Amino acid sequence: MMARHKILAAVVLLVTLHLAILFAGFVAPADPVVQNRDFPFAPPTRLHFVDLRGHLHLRPFVYQWTPRPDAFNEYEESRDREYPLQFFVSGAAYRVAGLVPSRVHLFGVDAPAQIFLAGTDSYGRDQFSRILSGGQISVAAGILATLISLVLGTLIGGVAGFWGKWIDESAMRFAELFMVLPWLYVLFGVRAFLPLHLSSVQTFLLLIAVIGTIGWARPARLIRGIVLSAKNQNYVAASRGFGASNVYLLRRHVLPQTYGVLLTQAALLVPQYVLAEVTLSFFGLGLSEPTPSWGGLLATLQQYNVLVSYWWMFAPAVALAVVSLGYLSVANAFHERLQSSSS
């Protein structure tokens, strides 16, 4: 019962995060690629509930940031007017889940004020909007690469475990070779060898293919072990005695026993592959500007002045940590559930 509650809580957290990322255009208050050169490296906007007269407001409000004339990239609040936070406002055009055009945003403030929940970058682009939009790239890359790894691992591990003999020996030696390789350096080498001047879509698909193909070995070994055990069960032998085909045995009796391990592996691999995409983009081997990704957003921290002066530029790392911890919590809950069911 406790494991079930942990799984439910972790899944709810992940679903909430993924919905925010999926509907980034609606949740984000601004267009992630639109520049505002008047506000480079503006700090996060402060939400206020008490005005200058000491009156409490139930709806939060903001003051407009104005550049300080006596300092570079420093701002102060212009408290001449209060700008209440508005909900379901009209703003920059976007597509809901990349399909349906819309202009409705979850929140915003009246012009000329702007709300920067996570500050702005060197071009004045809203960091909060870019983090959500960049999450669509990074998280999607992790999920799709995980699907590739699990499909390859299930196929190779299932065939090796079920038919055995020289097929099993060859597949497992090949898997061991993949497991001992320093995958991060292999990833760098493979990506650097491939063409750098590609469109955003081509680069994205290339990243998914490279990352997903490298990580199939560990799931394959796990699936192979389960299939080896399952095919020797009495009910499988009985089904074979009644004339069941190998395909039927795999589909009906053997592979269903691997679902729990596959879910656990998926929850473990997604954050690893998200981190792989972030690492490639951080070093300039992923998607390039103006398309945001978490690695590209963190790449600005390679500049020393940004690293030491603008703490809000670390916000993409916080988003990465939250998503990774969410997936690891799900993986731990699935693991506990599998242990409790097997004992």
Side-chain angles (χ1 to χ4, degrees):
M1 183 64 69
M2 184 63 69
R4 182 178 299 177
H5 288 164
K6 287 183 178 180
I7 292 176
L8 181 60
V11 168
V12 169
L13 172 63
L14 277 183
V15 169
T16 303
L17 291 172
H18 284 70
L19 285 177
I21 291 173
L22 179 62
F23 298 102
F26 169 69
V27 179
D31 190 319
V33 300
V34 171
Q35 302 179 9
N36 189 343
R37 296 302 183 95
D38 294 330
F39 294 95
F41 291 122
T45 304
R46 302 166 187 166
L47 295 177
H48 298 271
F49 288 89
V50 180
D51 60 24
L52 297 178
R53 300 176 296 277
H55 297 160
L56 178 64
H57 293 246
L58 296 180
R59 174 178 294 186
F61 63 90
V62 303
Y63 294 112
Q64 182 182 3
W65 279 129
T66 57
R68 292 181 56 182
D70 57 339
F72 179 69
N73 283 349
E74 292 191 16
Y75 302 84
E76 59 186 3
E77 291 180 328
S78 176
R79 303 202 170 188
D80 298 333
R81 178 183 171 187
E82 301 156 0
Y83 297 88
L85 191 65
Q86 308 287 341
F87 294 96
F88 303 106
V89 299
S90 178
Y94 64 93
R95 289 185 177 272
V96 179
L99 300 174
V100 183
S102 177
R103 285 183 173 272
V104 179
H105 294 259
L106 178 61
F107 64 92
V109 293
D110 293 333
Q114 299 187 59
I115 182 167
F116 307 125
L117 291 184
T120 66
D121 63 6
S122 58
Y123 297 103
R125 296 174 295 193
D126 178 45
Q127 275 287 94
F128 181 72
S129 301
R130 289 179 63 77
I131 289 171
L132 290 177
S133 182
Q136 292 182 332
I137 300 296
S138 299
V139 175
I143 292 175
L144 294 176
T146 297
L147 289 177
I148 293 175
S149 288
L150 293 182
V151 168
L152 289 175
T154 302
L155 179 63
I156 297 174
V159 170
F162 194 80
W163 276 278
K165 299 182 181 180
W166 66 269
I167 298 177
D168 183 24
E169 187 71 19
S170 301
M172 290 305 100
R173 297 296 79 78
F174 193 51
E176 288 173 0
L177 174 63
F178 262 75
M179 291 181 66
V180 299
L181 289 174
W183 69 269
L184 184 60
Y185 297 106
V186 172
L187 198 60
F188 283 152
V190 172
R191 178 60 186 94
F193 177 76
L194 295 170
L196 295 178
H197 301 290
L198 299 172
S199 67
S200 297
V201 175
Q202 290 174 324
T203 303
F204 179 69
L205 295 177
L206 181 62
L207 286 176
I208 294 171
V210 171
I211 296 171
T213 304
I214 286 177
W216 64 269
R218 188 175 298 277
R221 288 180 61 86
L222 292 172
I223 297 302
R224 177 250 187 188
I226 296 174
V227 171
L228 276 174
S229 175
K231 75 175 185 177
N232 295 320
Q233 298 293 327
N234 291 334
Y235 62 87
V236 176
S239 296
R240 191 188 302 274
F242 281 109
S245 65
N246 289 334
V247 174
Y248 177 85
L249 293 176
L250 277 170
R251 179 177 58 84
R252 187 65 181 270
H253 297 302
V254 177
L255 290 182
Q257 298 190 40
T258 67
Y259 293 164
V261 171
L262 286 174
L263 288 174
T264 305
Q265 282 296 298
L268 287 171
L269 290 177
V270 170
Q272 293 180 26
Y273 292 164
V274 170
L275 183 59
E277 187 281 328
V278 168
T279 304
L280 287 174
S281 297
F282 181 82
F283 289 109
L285 297 175
L287 274 73
S288 58
E289 290 285 355
T291 304
S293 74
W294 287 347
L297 297 180
L298 290 171
T300 58
L301 295 175
Q302 297 179 59
Q303 304 174 35
Y304 179 75
N305 66 312
V306 176
L307 183 67
V308 300
S309 302
Y310 310 115
W311 56 267
W312 55 89
M313 300 302 292
F314 286 90
V318 176
L320 175 62
V322 171
V323 170
S324 298
L325 290 175
Y327 272 104
L328 293 177
S329 298
V330 170
N332 183 59
F334 276 130
H335 182 66
E336 292 181 0
R337 180 68 182 273
L338 289 175
Q339 284 188 327
S340 61
S341 61
S342 61
S343 60

